[in-house]
Amino acid sequence: MPDARQLRTILIAVSIALMAVIASVSGLNVAQTHMAVEFGASQSTILWIINIYTLALAALLLPLGAIGDRLGRKSMLIAGLGVFGAAHVVAGLAPTAEVMLAARVASGIGAAMIMPITLAVITSTFPEDQRGKAIGVWTGVAGGGGILGMFLSALLVDVADWRWLFALPAALVLVALVMTLKSVPDSREKSAHRFDTVGALVSTVAVVGLIFVLQEGPDRGWTAPATLTGLAVGLIATVGFVAWELHRRDASLLDVRLFRERGLAGGSVTLLVVFGVQAGIGVVLFPFFQAVLGWSGLLSTAALMPMAVMMMIASGLAPRLTARIGARSTMATGIALGGVALALMALFVSVDGGYLSILPGLLAMGLGMGLSMTPSTEVITGSLSREKQGVASALNDVTREFGTALGVALLGALVSAGYRSSIDDRLHDIPQGAADTAREGIANAVAAAGGTDTHAQDLLHAAQQSFVDGWQQAMWAGVAVMGALFLYIALRGPKNTVPAITDEAAATEAVAVL
């Protein structure tokens, strides 16, 4: 068993590796215009450069997590860091959009090798009485790392060049690689069964199909042939995967029978919804900051930092609360706070109130997410055996990715629909051409306002107020979803067992806090 100092080093190493992966998910969003100009690429190509990373990451999490269990988690982590770092160097030097696209695919593959192993190292290395705190740190980085990465990316674009976006993850990978080689112990599964190759391939097809639909549906249209084809492929592959895994039973990639247990089912559903809500809020907030308040990309990203900080703090506090009141009660508390946060934003958001009208909701959302994510992750990893921690971690990560894509697609669609239905009644005195442009979205309305002379202020006010109306509709829909999740966890969540805290354990915790 590693000593306290080595455990601390292990946690720092995997957290830095995870930060590199998470920061790369959203970092390129701030450089879309720069890439389009430099590569002479279409918006569709730029979106594929951004989204292909997430697609490759989500699709390969389960297979590569299982392979890491068998071949050795340290070896897989080192290989993943190598692939990920090399891909970022190529991306930073890419002369064409095609090279950039290939580098992003390689980055996604490397990330899929890294992400599940970081959590599997924690769950297979840390003793039970310290595991919850370590998972709390991991979930804090996973939840808040994306916002922090986006802020640093926006800062780099503003003060340097967009290609420096790839230097930050590469530097983090280098540090994580050195620390992994020195401190992370190896662990692996000893299985009597052959690797489930069919299950791995079918799961990859299922995830690619479903994530493709969620990413492309809003742009291509939900009834477009490509969208419907992706949906059909994803659903058929999902059904086939479940049937195959039931057939393989104990030799399966993922024993789907375990979803009958409250812990695995409740934790997965919670992460799906909570990450969906977080991602959906991000979709709403950036247009609000930039088009309604007129802020820059850097300032807009900085405005999300209070939520990220609260999320990280709450993730660290969640294990202690779980030890006192149990996992189900902690998850329910976090979910309730998330619902309250959405209600606060729906009730008080306004054009005139600006940032202060949503700040209480952002703080409450960060607190609620941190309290719900940590115990959810812990019950998922606790539902699978020690030898299957790579698969358990991958399942945790796949759930997060699906939730993120689902939240962006659904809450984004709700805001857009609410905006369009609201702005129609406010465009009666606006010239027809400008009015038609404004109906497409608030960014289009801001662009069109410059050519309407005396109507510019009226058009801007109409678009801003309509966006707030759409915001409120989306937030109330989120409240309903969080309410349903709260009832589900309260009634069917993981068992609310509270571990006994001995005097010695309490003393140890007190020393750790100091």
Side-chain angles (χ1 to χ4, degrees):
M1 180 65 64
D3 58 27
R5 183 177 180 180
Q6 186 178 358
L7 287 174
R8 192 182 308 113
T9 305
I10 292 169
L11 183 58
I12 293 172
V14 297
S15 296
I16 292 174
L18 177 64
M19 175 65 78
V21 170
I22 297 297
S24 297
V25 172
S26 54
L28 272 189
N29 284 324
V30 301
Q32 292 188 44
T33 303
H34 300 80
M35 287 192 295
V37 171
E38 185 157 337
F39 291 143
S42 65
Q43 180 63 18
S44 176
T45 300
I46 298 302
L47 289 177
W48 267 108
I49 289 175
I50 293 172
N51 291 335
I52 197 69
Y53 172 82
T54 307
L55 189 65
L57 167 61
L60 296 174
L61 280 169
L62 268 179
L64 292 179
I67 291 173
D69 282 337
R70 286 174 174 258
L71 297 184
R73 298 182 180 108
K74 181 174 182 177
S75 302
M76 179 63 81
L77 182 56
I78 292 171
L81 289 169
V83 172
F84 187 85
H88 271 70
V89 171
V90 173
L93 302 173
T96 65
E98 291 75 18
V99 174
M100 176 66 78
L101 193 63
R104 290 288 285 175
V105 173
S107 297
I109 296 171
M113 299 168 73
I114 296 169
M115 194 171 183
I117 301 303
T118 57
L119 183 55
V121 166
I122 291 174
T123 55
S124 62
T125 303
F126 278 71
E128 187 173 354
D129 61 332
Q130 300 180 50
R131 195 174 302 151
K133 296 176 186 178
I135 291 176
V137 173
W138 188 93
T139 55
V141 173
I147 297 174
L148 180 59
M150 194 182 301
F151 172 74
L152 294 175
S153 298
L155 183 62
L156 283 171
V157 170
D158 276 10
V159 303
D161 184 83
W162 69 272
R163 289 185 180 272
W164 282 98
L165 294 177
F166 301 100
L168 176 62
L172 291 174
V173 161
L174 183 60
V175 174
L177 183 58
V178 172
M179 297 182 72
T180 298
L181 289 169
K182 290 180 62 177
S183 303
V184 174
D186 201 7
S187 60
R188 67 186 70 208
E189 169 197 359
K190 295 179 181 178
S191 177
H193 306 287
R194 297 180 61 186
F195 181 71
D196 184 8
T197 305
V198 173
L201 293 174
V202 176
S203 71
T204 301
V205 173
V207 174
V208 167
L210 296 177
I211 293 291
F212 175 84
V213 170
L214 294 174
Q215 288 182 344
E216 296 295 312
D219 293 325
R220 294 175 181 262
W222 296 106
T223 58
T227 305
L228 294 177
T229 300
L231 180 61
V233 170
L235 291 177
I236 291 171
T238 300
V239 173
F241 176 74
V242 172
W244 176 257
E245 298 304 283
L246 288 173
H247 170 71
R248 290 271 298 186
R249 298 180 70 81
D250 295 334
S252 60
L253 180 72
L254 173 64
D255 189 351
V256 295
R257 296 172 297 173
L258 293 175
F259 281 98
R260 299 170 185 168
E261 296 184 6
R262 289 186 171 195
L264 188 60
S268 298
V269 172
T270 299
L271 287 182
L272 182 78
V273 174
V274 168
F275 268 83
V277 169
Q278 181 201 26
I281 288 176
V283 169
V284 176
L285 284 175
F286 271 96
F288 179 77
F289 291 148
Q290 295 179 311
V292 176
L293 303 185
W295 290 1
S296 67
L298 180 60
L299 185 57
S300 299
T301 308
L304 294 175
M305 292 303 291
M307 182 172 71
V309 171
M310 286 300 296
M311 193 187 312
M312 291 180 174
I313 292 173
S315 295
L317 294 175
R320 300 181 187 180
L321 188 60
T322 300
R324 293 181 179 276
I325 66 176
R328 180 171 60 187
S329 297
T330 304
M331 290 164 65
T333 301
I335 293 165
L337 280 171
V340 169
L342 294 171
L344 287 173
M345 286 190 277
L347 287 170
F348 297 114
V349 64
S350 67
V351 177
D352 297 330
Y355 182 61
L356 292 180
S357 68
I358 64 167
L359 182 58
L362 288 180
L363 294 174
M365 178 56 67
L367 182 60
M369 288 191 64
L371 291 180
S372 58
M373 288 190 306
T374 300
S376 298
T377 297
E378 196 167 1
V379 296
I380 289 174
T381 56
S383 298
L384 276 76
S385 65
R386 192 180 184 88
E387 293 77 17
K388 289 282 189 180
Q389 285 306 297
V391 174
S393 304
L395 176 62
N396 176 79
D397 298 334
V398 168
T399 304
R400 291 166 181 262
E401 296 300 329
F402 265 114
T404 298
L406 192 62
V408 169
L410 296 185
L411 285 184
L414 286 173
V415 172
S416 297
Y419 169 85
R420 286 192 295 269
S421 64
S422 180
I423 200 171
D424 279 337
D425 296 331
R426 296 187 169 104
L427 297 175
H428 298 304
D429 299 326
I430 305 299
Q432 187 64 41
D436 291 340
T437 301
R439 289 187 180 93
E440 297 175 7
I442 187 170
N444 304 84
V446 172
T452 56
D453 298 326
T454 57
H455 296 286
Q457 195 59 40
D458 292 337
L459 179 56
L460 281 176
H461 180 74
Q464 290 169 348
Q465 190 56 54
S466 298
F467 183 82
V468 168
D469 291 345
W471 166 308
Q472 290 173 317
Q473 291 183 30
M475 293 302 99
W476 285 122
V479 170
V481 172
M482 294 296 273
L485 177 61
F486 176 83
L487 292 175
Y488 171 74
I489 294 300
L491 297 175
R492 295 290 303 166
K495 293 180 181 180
N496 215 7
T497 54
V498 181
I501 302 178
T502 63
D503 292 339
E504 183 180 353
T508 302
E509 180 176 350
V511 171
V513 172
L514 292 175

